């Protein structure tokens, strides 16, 4: 049978329990506040260390911060970043995966995981995480983050030789670019890498429209135009590039070739037949001179009957063609221009194969031969 | 024989704190005079309600305890992961002096293992644990662990829970049996909150403290464990003790690596037990004045270790967490395991209050991680995670060092929340347990108890001891078994040639009765020779036994009967044997002789 005292004591225990709950709640609240303050202090130290490019120190600081705020996603994220920087990739991956389980839609977590996958050359997984990051949640300025992630994805794909995938991403990126000359230049360069010169040229032109002195845009536009066999535009852009940066050797070289192409090309529109003939004869003589020099340097006697090989074969064709290459014949028979230029191309290619990169005039002739269709159009 | 109470600080005796007692009496008098509504709960209901209250109180105590340890650590050693060398040398040593003073002058009963003290309360002191032990454990352990002694908070939490339960049970004037049972209820609550793992806590208390699955206490133990963990979740969040990385068995051949982990863990457990046991004996044998400086000396040694490996200081949960996430090289893991074994042995044997659970988990995680790291180097194709090995390693040491095989398996599962880890855990833990059992016949807790001059019941020995069965004592069936349909004359004729006096009578319905020669002669004289035995006899039914029943049952059943039938479970008329009191005693005697002669040498038993 229960005594009154026992019943009273049960109730008293419950009252005491309530009091202890309140006291413990107050204590725990203060404890959590103190822990959070300590965590914040160590986090700031880690942040400073990471910004000062001292990742090992940052790792220690973030580890300490996480002792006081074990589940703070921001601290974990920064620790993961520090771990990646300090080359502790396996540990970073563990942190990131546990973060991902909790926040699968977080843009930054997915980006860090994408970087780890990219580093491991795991292309499908990296693409998946990059896409998660692009379509994920970002705190503050999400558009910029998404654009930067897509640029990073494009660079990764280009590095992995995934040109088609990269081009798709670039087209998507092109549609959302803000009016920033630097970004357009960057995207133009990447379009050039996937050999989409038409879009590359558009981007460089856009960049130049926004900032006529944008570094790299003129040279990029010149190269894109050059690849598109639009030597007139190429010459103009290369000239602008050299105005901005006179030390740009490549631009200077390509400007010279573009200029020569424009001077030597017999297939250019709006040329008189006479001029076409003159240019064809000049091209033929230039190519023949190059062939002879090359043969001589290789110890090949073109006059000898016993010679065989590519030089002998081409020289035989040249000897047949040479009497016909007169201004009168070329004016009378326009098809002869094409035949002569075919032979020019053969001579230049033979010389190139035997003696390496030719001087600019011969390079121009090679360009004319290769891009003849484009120029004719 | 010395008096264990006088010599053993692990065993509690009723204290008297006059000021508390006086105030409490006053409060009680006032409460008695208050009008309180009657609660219509019977003893069983009250016991369960009390289990919940104990769980809540224990949960609150553990929350405050954990905060105190953390707060002490920050105040004494600073908030950095690697404190300055000066602090590392000074603080643990000075705190050791303070702890020694507290233990010697104010709380003498907080020294030693909380598990054994709880067992002593159950088996010796009818569930009595003085409340001063709870306060003492709280203060001294917070100071010791917070200052860097290599000890854990689980064992003290277990004892604090048991102490709270004991105090409440006594105040509520529960029956003696219930007061005895209430201490393990509180112990489960304390351990569950400390571990944030209620299943493991319940299993541990049943496996190591109570020793049997008793329905009377199981419900209360579960209720208290759940209540305390709920409080912990409410205040400190629901996150598990460790963030366990995902685990999956890459290839079945990886189980070989886990078997190797079991072997290494088994021998490491062995070394750990022997070192703790040896140092504890040596420290007990030292002059009495050294008790004042032993914790300080241990603190100094640990502080010096901490200059190079600060990870070995304190409970080390954060370090376990890092090992689970593959943040150390295997060489560093081996170093940490060795240093932790040394540090824990110094701390524990010095008498600094604190538990062995966290250090056990620490050493296990380091050894597991190291085995995983080595596997990665030599068998990279297997591709198992180091975290998985560290996790299994924790269970391995639990099984090998603390010798709680069931708890060890469930603990890993509960901590990981992953069922697929069960295979490696079972393999590794079993191997470690068997190695430890073979080379160290006496378990850690039993060894402590014997070193302290007491003989608490060994749950492991109870588990391992073979139970004598009826079949071990029974004789072949009697030559003559009468049937109930036989006439008295036929029966007399059958028994006339034998010298036996007592005969079993089998009935068609499976009942058994008995008859003596004297009965038969009497019935014949009374002219009942033609009557069947069933009608002629009025003797009561005999109790029967089955061969697989424990011999204790036979002892209880046999009463005054000269012998009892042992019958088949599926055919009650099929007599398998007979058993008499002489047979039972002979079997017990033989078993006792066997135990005497086959008793193990004792390993490192003192």
């Amino acid at each position: 049978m229960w005594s009154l005292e026992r019943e009273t004591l049960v109730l008293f225990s419950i009252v005491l329990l309530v009091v202890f709950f309140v006291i413990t709640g107050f204590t725990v609240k203060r404890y959590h506040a103190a822990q959070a303050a300590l965590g914040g202090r160590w986090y700031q130290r880690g942040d400073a260390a990471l910004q000062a490019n001292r990742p090992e120190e940052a790792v220690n600081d973030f580890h300490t911060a996480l002792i006081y705020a074990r589940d703070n996603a921001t601290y974990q994220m920064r620790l993961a970043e520090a771990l990646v920087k300090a080359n502790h990739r396996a540990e970073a991956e563990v942190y990131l995966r546990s973060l991902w389980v909790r926040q699968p839609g977080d843009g930054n977590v997915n980006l860090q995981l994408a970087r780890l996958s990219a580093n491991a050359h795991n292309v499908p997984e990296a693409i998946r995480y990059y896409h998660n990051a692009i379509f994920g949640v970002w705190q503050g300025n999400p558009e910029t983050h998404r654009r930067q992630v897509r640029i990073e994805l494009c660079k990764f794909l280009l590095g992995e030789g995934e040109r088609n995938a990269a081009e798709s991403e670039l087209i998507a990126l092109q549609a959302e670019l803000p009016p920033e000359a630097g970004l357009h230049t960057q995207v133009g360069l990447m379009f050039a890498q996937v050999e989409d010169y038409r879009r590359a040229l558009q981007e460089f032109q856009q960049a130049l429209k926004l900032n006529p002195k944008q570094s790299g845009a003129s040279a990029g536009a010149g190269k894109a135009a050059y690849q598109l066999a639009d030597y007139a535009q190429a010459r103009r852009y290369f000239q602008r590039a050299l105005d901005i940066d006179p030390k740009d050797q490549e631009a200077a070289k390509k400007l010279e070739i573009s200029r020569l192409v424009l001077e030597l090309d017999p297939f250019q529109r709006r040329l008189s037949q006479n001029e076409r003939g003159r240019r064809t004869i000049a091209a033929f003589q230039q190519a023949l001179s190059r062939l002879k020099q090359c043969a001589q340097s290789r110890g090949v006697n073109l006059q000898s009957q016993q010679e065989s090989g590519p030089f002998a074969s081409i020289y035989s064709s040249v000897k047949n063609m040479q009497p016909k290459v007169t201004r009168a014949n070329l004016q009378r028979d326009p098809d002869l221009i094409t035949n002569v230029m075919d032979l020019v191309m053969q001579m230049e290619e033979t010389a190139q194969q035997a003696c390496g990169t030719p001087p600019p005039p011969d390079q121009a002739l090679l360009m004319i031969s290769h891009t003849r269709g484009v120029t004719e159009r | 024989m010395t008096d264990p109470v006088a010599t053993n600080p692990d065993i509690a005796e009723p204290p008297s704190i006059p000021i508390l007692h006086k105030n409490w009496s006053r409060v009680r008098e006032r409460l008695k005079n208050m009008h309180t509504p009657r609660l219509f709960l019977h003893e069983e209901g009250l016991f369960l309600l009390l289990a919940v209250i104990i769980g809540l109180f224990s949960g609150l105590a553990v929350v405050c305890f954990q905060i105190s340890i953390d707060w002490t650590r920050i105040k004494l050693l600073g908030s950095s992961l690697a404190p300055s060398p000066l602090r590392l040398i000074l603080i643990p040593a000075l705190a050791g002096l303070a702890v020694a003073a507290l233990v010697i002058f104010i709380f003498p009963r907080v020294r030693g293992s909380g598990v054994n003290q709880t067992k002593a309360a159950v088996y010796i002191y009818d569930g009595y644990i003085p409340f001063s032990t709870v306060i003492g454990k709280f203060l001294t352990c917070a100071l010791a662990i917070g200052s860097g002694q290599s000890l854990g908070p689980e064992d003290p939490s277990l004892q604090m829970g048991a102490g709270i339960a004991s105090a409440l049970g006594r105040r509520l004037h529960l029956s003696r049996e219930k007061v005895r049972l209430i201490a393990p209820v509180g112990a489960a609550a304390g351990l569950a909150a400390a571990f944030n793992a209620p299943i493991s806590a319940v299993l541990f208390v049943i496996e190591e403290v109570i020793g049997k699955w008793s329905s009377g206490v199981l419900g209360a133990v579960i209720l208290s464990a759940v209540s305390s963990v709920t409080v912990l979740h409410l205040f400190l969040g629901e996150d598990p003790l460790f963030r366990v990385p995902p685990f999956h068995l890459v290839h079945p051949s990886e189980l070989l690596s886990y078997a190797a982990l079991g072997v290494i863990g088994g021998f490491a457990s062995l070394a750990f037990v022997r070192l703790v046991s040896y140092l504890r004996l040596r420290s007990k044998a030292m002059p009495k004045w050294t008790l004042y400086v032993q914790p300080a000396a241990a603190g100094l040694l640990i502080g010096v270790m901490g200059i190079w490996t600060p990870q070995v200081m304190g409970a080390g949960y954060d370090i376990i967490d890092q090992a689970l996430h593959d943040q150390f090289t295997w060489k560093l893991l081996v170093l940490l395991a060795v240093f932790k074994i040394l540090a824990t042995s110094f701390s524990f044997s010095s008498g600094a209050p604190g538990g062995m659970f966290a250090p056990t988990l620490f050493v296990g995680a380091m050894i597991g991680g190291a085995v995983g790291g080595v596997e990665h180097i030599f068998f990279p194709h297997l591709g198992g995670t180091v975290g998985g090995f560290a996790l299994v390693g924790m269970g391995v040491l639990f099984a090998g060092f603390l010798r709680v095989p069931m708890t060890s398996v469930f603990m890993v599962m509960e901590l990981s929340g992953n069922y697929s880890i069960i295979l490696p855990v079972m393999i590794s833990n079993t191997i470690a347990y068997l190695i430890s059992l073979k080379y160290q016949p006496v378990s850690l807790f039993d060894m402590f108890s014997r070193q302290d001059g007491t003989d608490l019941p060994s749950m492991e020995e109870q588990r391992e001891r073979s139970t004598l069965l009826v079949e071990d004592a029974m004789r072949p069936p009697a030559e003559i078994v009468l049937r109930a349909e036989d006439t008295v004359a036929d029966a007399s004729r059958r028994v006339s040639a034998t010298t036996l006096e007592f005969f079993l009578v089998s009935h068609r319905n499976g009942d058994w009765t008995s008859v003596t020669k004297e009965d038969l002669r009497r019935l014949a004289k009374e002219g009942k020779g033609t009557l069947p035995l069933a009608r002629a006899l009025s003797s009561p039914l005999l109790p029967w036994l089955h061969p697989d029943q424990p011999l204790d049952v036979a002892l209880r059943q046999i009463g005054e009967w000269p012998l009892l039938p042992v019958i088949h479970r599926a055919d009650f008329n099929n007599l398998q044997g007979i058993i008499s009191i002489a047979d039972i005693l002979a079997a017990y005697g033989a078993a006792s002789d066997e135990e005497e002669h086959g008793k193990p040498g004792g390993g490192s038993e003192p």
Side-chain angles (χ1 to χ4, degrees), chain A residues 2 5-6 31 67-68 70-71 91 94, chain B residues 28 41 70 79 81 173 239-240 325 327:
Chain A
W2 275 47
E5 188 188 10
R6 186 186 273 185
Y31 169 73
I67 287 178
Y68 302 106
R70 198 173 80 163
D71 297 317
E91 194 190 337
V94 171
Chain B
R28 194 169 53 183
L41 275 174
D70 222 22
S79 62
L81 277 175
H173 301 296
D239 297 319
H325 294 98
Q327 290 173 20

PDB file of all heavy atoms in Angstrom, chain A residues 2 5-6 31 67-68 70-71 91 94, chain B residues 28 41 70 79 81 173 239-240 325 327:
ATOM      1  N   TRP A   2       0.454   2.189  -0.748  1.00  0.00           N
ATOM      2  CA  TRP A   2       1.233   3.431  -0.851  1.00  0.00           C
ATOM      3  C   TRP A   2       1.086   4.272   0.393  1.00  0.00           C
ATOM      4  O   TRP A   2       0.018   4.406   0.957  1.00  0.00           O
ATOM      5  CB  TRP A   2       0.692   4.243  -2.020  1.00  0.00           C
ATOM      6  CG  TRP A   2       1.299   3.826  -3.289  1.00  0.00           C
ATOM      7  CD1 TRP A   2       1.470   2.562  -3.745  1.00  0.00           C
ATOM      8  CD2 TRP A   2       1.814   4.693  -4.262  1.00  0.00           C
ATOM      9  NE1 TRP A   2       2.052   2.581  -4.938  1.00  0.00           N
ATOM     10  CE2 TRP A   2       2.279   3.877  -5.298  1.00  0.00           C
ATOM     11  CE3 TRP A   2       1.933   6.068  -4.366  1.00  0.00           C
ATOM     12  CZ2 TRP A   2       2.851   4.398  -6.413  1.00  0.00           C
ATOM     13  CZ3 TRP A   2       2.490   6.581  -5.483  1.00  0.00           C
ATOM     14  CH2 TRP A   2       2.957   5.750  -6.496  1.00  0.00           C
ATOM     15  N   GLU A   5       3.687   9.657   1.999  1.00  0.00           N
ATOM     16  CA  GLU A   5       5.021  10.181   1.759  1.00  0.00           C
ATOM     17  C   GLU A   5       5.519   9.777   0.371  1.00  0.00           C
ATOM     18  O   GLU A   5       6.111  10.575  -0.329  1.00  0.00           O
ATOM     19  CB  GLU A   5       5.970   9.642   2.831  1.00  0.00           C
ATOM     20  CG  GLU A   5       7.321  10.295   2.744  1.00  0.00           C
ATOM     21  CD  GLU A   5       8.322   9.644   3.668  1.00  0.00           C
ATOM     22  OE1 GLU A   5       8.009   8.567   4.233  1.00  0.00           O
ATOM     23  OE2 GLU A   5       9.393  10.209   3.817  1.00  0.00           O
ATOM     24  N   ARG A   6       5.258   8.537  -0.007  1.00  0.00           N
ATOM     25  CA  ARG A   6       5.744   8.061  -1.287  1.00  0.00           C
ATOM     26  C   ARG A   6       5.113   8.843  -2.435  1.00  0.00           C
ATOM     27  O   ARG A   6       5.791   9.266  -3.358  1.00  0.00           O
ATOM     28  CB  ARG A   6       5.429   6.574  -1.407  1.00  0.00           C
ATOM     29  CG  ARG A   6       6.015   5.967  -2.643  1.00  0.00           C
ATOM     30  CD  ARG A   6       5.565   4.559  -2.809  1.00  0.00           C
ATOM     31  NE  ARG A   6       6.414   3.610  -2.117  1.00  0.00           N
ATOM     32  CZ  ARG A   6       6.264   2.287  -2.210  1.00  0.00           C
ATOM     33  NH1 ARG A   6       5.297   1.783  -2.932  1.00  0.00           N
ATOM     34  NH2 ARG A   6       7.066   1.479  -1.576  1.00  0.00           N
ATOM     35  N   TYR A  31      26.146  27.424 -22.734  1.00  0.00           N
ATOM     36  CA  TYR A  31      27.225  26.564 -23.257  1.00  0.00           C
ATOM     37  C   TYR A  31      27.273  26.651 -24.786  1.00  0.00           C
ATOM     38  O   TYR A  31      28.335  26.842 -25.373  1.00  0.00           O
ATOM     39  CB  TYR A  31      26.967  25.135 -22.791  1.00  0.00           C
ATOM     40  CG  TYR A  31      27.815  24.078 -23.435  1.00  0.00           C
ATOM     41  CD1 TYR A  31      29.175  23.943 -23.111  1.00  0.00           C
ATOM     42  CD2 TYR A  31      27.271  23.182 -24.351  1.00  0.00           C
ATOM     43  CE1 TYR A  31      29.950  22.960 -23.683  1.00  0.00           C
ATOM     44  CE2 TYR A  31      28.042  22.198 -24.927  1.00  0.00           C
ATOM     45  CZ  TYR A  31      29.378  22.094 -24.593  1.00  0.00           C
ATOM     46  OH  TYR A  31      30.146  21.105 -25.172  1.00  0.00           O
ATOM     47  N   ILE A  67      35.225  21.584 -33.726  1.00  0.00           N
ATOM     48  CA  ILE A  67      35.042  20.949 -32.412  1.00  0.00           C
ATOM     49  C   ILE A  67      33.932  21.678 -31.660  1.00  0.00           C
ATOM     50  O   ILE A  67      33.153  21.075 -30.930  1.00  0.00           O
ATOM     51  CB  ILE A  67      36.358  21.017 -31.605  1.00  0.00           C
ATOM     52  CG1 ILE A  67      37.340  20.028 -32.210  1.00  0.00           C
ATOM     53  CG2 ILE A  67      36.135  20.701 -30.130  1.00  0.00           C
ATOM     54  CD1 ILE A  67      38.673  20.037 -31.527  1.00  0.00           C
ATOM     55  N   TYR A  68      33.854  22.980 -31.880  1.00  0.00           N
ATOM     56  CA  TYR A  68      32.866  23.781 -31.146  1.00  0.00           C
ATOM     57  C   TYR A  68      31.558  23.949 -31.913  1.00  0.00           C
ATOM     58  O   TYR A  68      30.591  24.449 -31.368  1.00  0.00           O
ATOM     59  CB  TYR A  68      33.477  25.145 -30.798  1.00  0.00           C
ATOM     60  CG  TYR A  68      34.727  24.979 -29.989  1.00  0.00           C
ATOM     61  CD1 TYR A  68      35.981  25.203 -30.551  1.00  0.00           C
ATOM     62  CD2 TYR A  68      34.671  24.499 -28.687  1.00  0.00           C
ATOM     63  CE1 TYR A  68      37.138  24.990 -29.819  1.00  0.00           C
ATOM     64  CE2 TYR A  68      35.819  24.283 -27.955  1.00  0.00           C
ATOM     65  CZ  TYR A  68      37.049  24.529 -28.522  1.00  0.00           C
ATOM     66  OH  TYR A  68      38.187  24.302 -27.800  1.00  0.00           O
ATOM     67  N   ARG A  70      30.246  21.335 -34.500  1.00  0.00           N
ATOM     68  CA  ARG A  70      30.524  20.169 -35.333  1.00  0.00           C
ATOM     69  C   ARG A  70      29.708  20.136 -36.609  1.00  0.00           C
ATOM     70  O   ARG A  70      30.154  19.654 -37.632  1.00  0.00           O
ATOM     71  CB  ARG A  70      30.261  18.909 -34.503  1.00  0.00           C
ATOM     72  CG  ARG A  70      30.897  17.685 -35.071  1.00  0.00           C
ATOM     73  CD  ARG A  70      30.747  16.518 -34.147  1.00  0.00           C
ATOM     74  NE  ARG A  70      29.438  15.915 -34.237  1.00  0.00           N
ATOM     75  CZ  ARG A  70      29.148  14.694 -33.787  1.00  0.00           C
ATOM     76  NH1 ARG A  70      30.083  13.989 -33.202  1.00  0.00           N
ATOM     77  NH2 ARG A  70      27.942  14.196 -33.898  1.00  0.00           N
ATOM     78  N   ASP A  71      28.490  20.647 -36.543  1.00  0.00           N
ATOM     79  CA  ASP A  71      27.611  20.514 -37.705  1.00  0.00           C
ATOM     80  C   ASP A  71      27.454  21.801 -38.483  1.00  0.00           C
ATOM     81  O   ASP A  71      26.531  21.915 -39.297  1.00  0.00           O
ATOM     82  CB  ASP A  71      26.240  20.005 -37.245  1.00  0.00           C
ATOM     83  CG  ASP A  71      26.381  18.644 -36.636  1.00  0.00           C
ATOM     84  OD1 ASP A  71      27.107  17.821 -37.204  1.00  0.00           O
ATOM     85  OD2 ASP A  71      25.810  18.410 -35.560  1.00  0.00           O
ATOM     86  N   GLU A  91      40.177  13.123 -47.387  1.00  0.00           N
ATOM     87  CA  GLU A  91      39.486  13.664 -46.216  1.00  0.00           C
ATOM     88  C   GLU A  91      38.442  14.695 -46.654  1.00  0.00           C
ATOM     89  O   GLU A  91      37.332  14.737 -46.138  1.00  0.00           O
ATOM     90  CB  GLU A  91      40.505  14.301 -45.288  1.00  0.00           C
ATOM     91  CG  GLU A  91      39.967  14.589 -43.927  1.00  0.00           C
ATOM     92  CD  GLU A  91      40.918  15.437 -43.096  1.00  0.00           C
ATOM     93  OE1 GLU A  91      42.129  15.428 -43.380  1.00  0.00           O
ATOM     94  OE2 GLU A  91      40.436  16.103 -42.191  1.00  0.00           O
ATOM     95  N   VAL A  94      35.358  13.051 -47.860  1.00  0.00           N
ATOM     96  CA  VAL A  94      34.508  12.548 -46.775  1.00  0.00           C
ATOM     97  C   VAL A  94      33.621  13.672 -46.241  1.00  0.00           C
ATOM     98  O   VAL A  94      32.413  13.513 -46.072  1.00  0.00           O
ATOM     99  CB  VAL A  94      35.377  11.957 -45.647  1.00  0.00           C
ATOM    100  CG1 VAL A  94      34.523  11.635 -44.434  1.00  0.00           C
ATOM    101  CG2 VAL A  94      36.086  10.713 -46.122  1.00  0.00           C
TER     102      VAL A  94
ATOM    103  N   ARG B  28      10.783  16.730   4.315  1.00  0.00           N
ATOM    104  CA  ARG B  28       9.877  15.590   4.334  1.00  0.00           C
ATOM    105  C   ARG B  28       8.730  15.817   5.314  1.00  0.00           C
ATOM    106  O   ARG B  28       7.583  15.508   5.038  1.00  0.00           O
ATOM    107  CB  ARG B  28      10.669  14.329   4.711  1.00  0.00           C
ATOM    108  CG  ARG B  28       9.921  13.055   4.434  1.00  0.00           C
ATOM    109  CD  ARG B  28      10.800  11.871   4.564  1.00  0.00           C
ATOM    110  NE  ARG B  28      11.480  11.853   5.853  1.00  0.00           N
ATOM    111  CZ  ARG B  28      12.368  10.925   6.203  1.00  0.00           C
ATOM    112  NH1 ARG B  28      12.682   9.969   5.371  1.00  0.00           N
ATOM    113  NH2 ARG B  28      12.932  10.956   7.384  1.00  0.00           N
ATOM    114  N   LEU B  41      -1.205   3.706  -8.251  1.00  0.00           N
ATOM    115  CA  LEU B  41      -0.253   2.884  -8.977  1.00  0.00           C
ATOM    116  C   LEU B  41       0.219   1.787  -8.050  1.00  0.00           C
ATOM    117  O   LEU B  41       0.568   2.042  -6.902  1.00  0.00           O
ATOM    118  CB  LEU B  41       0.954   3.717  -9.389  1.00  0.00           C
ATOM    119  CG  LEU B  41       0.873   4.517 -10.683  1.00  0.00           C
ATOM    120  CD1 LEU B  41       2.106   5.371 -10.816  1.00  0.00           C
ATOM    121  CD2 LEU B  41       0.739   3.605 -11.871  1.00  0.00           C
ATOM    122  N   ASP B  70      33.835  19.584 -20.858  1.00  0.00           N
ATOM    123  CA  ASP B  70      34.244  20.461 -21.956  1.00  0.00           C
ATOM    124  C   ASP B  70      34.698  21.823 -21.426  1.00  0.00           C
ATOM    125  O   ASP B  70      35.724  22.359 -21.846  1.00  0.00           O
ATOM    126  CB  ASP B  70      33.049  20.641 -22.890  1.00  0.00           C
ATOM    127  CG  ASP B  70      33.481  20.571 -24.324  1.00  0.00           C
ATOM    128  OD1 ASP B  70      34.544  19.990 -24.583  1.00  0.00           O
ATOM    129  OD2 ASP B  70      32.766  21.113 -25.187  1.00  0.00           O
ATOM    130  N   SER B  79      41.345  26.430 -25.814  1.00  0.00           N
ATOM    131  CA  SER B  79      40.409  25.943 -26.831  1.00  0.00           C
ATOM    132  C   SER B  79      41.106  25.319 -28.033  1.00  0.00           C
ATOM    133  O   SER B  79      40.478  24.723 -28.888  1.00  0.00           O
ATOM    134  CB  SER B  79      39.524  27.098 -27.315  1.00  0.00           C
ATOM    135  OG  SER B  79      40.331  28.083 -27.923  1.00  0.00           O
ATOM    136  N   LEU B  81      43.397  22.771 -30.362  1.00  0.00           N
ATOM    137  CA  LEU B  81      43.562  21.314 -30.413  1.00  0.00           C
ATOM    138  C   LEU B  81      44.928  20.900 -29.861  1.00  0.00           C
ATOM    139  O   LEU B  81      45.087  19.786 -29.381  1.00  0.00           O
ATOM    140  CB  LEU B  81      43.443  20.827 -31.863  1.00  0.00           C
ATOM    141  CG  LEU B  81      42.040  20.597 -32.405  1.00  0.00           C
ATOM    142  CD1 LEU B  81      42.097  20.232 -33.867  1.00  0.00           C
ATOM    143  CD2 LEU B  81      41.312  19.518 -31.642  1.00  0.00           C
ATOM    144  N   HIS B 173      11.036   4.283  -0.679  1.00  0.00           N
ATOM    145  CA  HIS B 173      10.808   3.070   0.119  1.00  0.00           C
ATOM    146  C   HIS B 173      10.313   1.916  -0.729  1.00  0.00           C
ATOM    147  O   HIS B 173       9.327   1.255  -0.403  1.00  0.00           O
ATOM    148  CB  HIS B 173       9.810   3.339   1.259  1.00  0.00           C
ATOM    149  CG  HIS B 173      10.266   4.412   2.175  1.00  0.00           C
ATOM    150  ND1 HIS B 173      11.399   4.306   2.953  1.00  0.00           N
ATOM    151  CD2 HIS B 173       9.779   5.659   2.401  1.00  0.00           C
ATOM    152  CE1 HIS B 173      11.573   5.428   3.628  1.00  0.00           C
ATOM    153  NE2 HIS B 173      10.613   6.274   3.300  1.00  0.00           N
ATOM    154  N   ASP B 239      22.593  14.279 -33.000  1.00  0.00           N
ATOM    155  CA  ASP B 239      23.694  13.694 -33.753  1.00  0.00           C
ATOM    156  C   ASP B 239      24.347  12.565 -32.970  1.00  0.00           C
ATOM    157  O   ASP B 239      24.474  12.644 -31.748  1.00  0.00           O
ATOM    158  CB  ASP B 239      24.751  14.755 -34.044  1.00  0.00           C
ATOM    159  CG  ASP B 239      24.173  15.838 -34.912  1.00  0.00           C
ATOM    160  OD1 ASP B 239      23.441  15.497 -35.835  1.00  0.00           O
ATOM    161  OD2 ASP B 239      24.420  17.016 -34.625  1.00  0.00           O
ATOM    162  N   PRO B 240      24.763  11.527 -33.680  1.00  0.00           N
ATOM    163  CA  PRO B 240      25.431  10.429 -32.983  1.00  0.00           C
ATOM    164  C   PRO B 240      26.790  10.878 -32.451  1.00  0.00           C
ATOM    165  O   PRO B 240      27.287  11.959 -32.799  1.00  0.00           O
ATOM    166  CB  PRO B 240      25.592   9.363 -34.071  1.00  0.00           C
ATOM    167  CG  PRO B 240      25.522  10.110 -35.350  1.00  0.00           C
ATOM    168  CD  PRO B 240      24.676  11.300 -35.106  1.00  0.00           C
ATOM    169  N   HIS B 325      37.424   9.235 -40.373  1.00  0.00           N
ATOM    170  CA  HIS B 325      37.429   9.913 -41.671  1.00  0.00           C
ATOM    171  C   HIS B 325      38.806   9.929 -42.311  1.00  0.00           C
ATOM    172  O   HIS B 325      39.129  10.823 -43.090  1.00  0.00           O
ATOM    173  CB  HIS B 325      36.877  11.333 -41.507  1.00  0.00           C
ATOM    174  CG  HIS B 325      35.436  11.312 -41.135  1.00  0.00           C
ATOM    175  ND1 HIS B 325      35.011  11.450 -39.836  1.00  0.00           N
ATOM    176  CD2 HIS B 325      34.343  11.122 -41.872  1.00  0.00           C
ATOM    177  CE1 HIS B 325      33.696  11.357 -39.817  1.00  0.00           C
ATOM    178  NE2 HIS B 325      33.267  11.156 -41.032  1.00  0.00           N
ATOM    179  N   GLN B 327      41.922  10.527 -41.457  1.00  0.00           N
ATOM    180  CA  GLN B 327      42.713  11.752 -41.418  1.00  0.00           C
ATOM    181  C   GLN B 327      44.121  11.542 -40.871  1.00  0.00           C
ATOM    182  O   GLN B 327      44.852  12.503 -40.672  1.00  0.00           O
ATOM    183  CB  GLN B 327      41.977  12.814 -40.587  1.00  0.00           C
ATOM    184  CG  GLN B 327      40.755  13.308 -41.315  1.00  0.00           C
ATOM    185  CD  GLN B 327      39.907  14.218 -40.466  1.00  0.00           C
ATOM    186  OE1 GLN B 327      40.371  14.772 -39.491  1.00  0.00           O
ATOM    187  NE2 GLN B 327      38.664  14.375 -40.847  1.00  0.00           N
TER     188      GLN B 327
END
